[in-house]
Amino acid sequence: MGHALATIALAVGSSAALCAAAPQQPAGGPDNGAGGSPFAPPVRLQAGEKFMGEGRLYPSPVFHDVNGDGRLDVVIGDLMGRLTVALRLPGDGPPRFGEEQPLKNADGQPLKFHNW
C-alpha cells in the first residue's frame, strides 16, 4: 500500500535543513511492535544541486502544484517572510526538483510576507 511523502523541517541553531521520511508499513502497530519509528530514515531534499531551505531560518515547506503541470512542487516560506518554489522535474523514480526560485506575483515581483 502506498503512503504519501511526509515532509518536515528540522532546525539546529540558526541553520535548518528540509528532510522527508516516508512511512513504513508497521509490523505490529503504530510503533512497529518494537518501540521503533514507523517512518523510514529521513532524506534531505535537494533543489537542483543544493539542499532545500539551506541557510534560511526555519524553512516551512508545503507541496503544491504551482505551475499546473500535475506534479507537486515544493513552496518554502521562512521566518523572514521569504517565499521560494522548487518545481518538480518530470521523470520516473524518486521526485527531483529544480533550483529554488523566488515565488512571484502576477506583476513578476517576488512575494514576501514581512513578519516583523
Side-chain angles (χ1 to χ4, degrees):
M1 173 163 74
H3 293 282
L5 186 66
T7 302
I8 57 173
L10 300 176
V12 180
S14 64
S15 63
L18 295 180
C19 299
Q24 294 179 344
Q25 187 70 290
D31 68 355
N32 74 18
S37 173
F39 295 97
V43 176
R44 288 185 71 181
L45 298 177
Q46 285 192 262
E49 299 296 319
K50 296 181 179 180
F51 291 115
M52 285 188 195
E54 189 170 60
R56 294 170 65 180
L57 294 173
Y58 304 102
S60 300
V62 64
F63 286 103
H64 181 75
D65 183 3
V66 173
N67 57 2
D69 64 1
R71 292 185 294 269
L72 292 178
D73 308 306
V74 180
V75 177
I76 305 164
D78 63 23
L79 182 66
M80 302 311 288
R82 184 174 156 219
L83 291 172
T84 58
V85 61
L87 299 176
R88 182 164 175 190
L89 301 174
D92 295 329
R96 295 178 312 117
F97 299 92
E99 291 183 23
E100 280 184 72
Q101 301 293 323
L103 193 60
K104 298 180 180 180
N105 64 18
D107 296 328
Q109 298 300 313
L111 287 174
K112 186 167 181 178
F113 294 90
H114 301 280
N115 290 327
W116 305 104

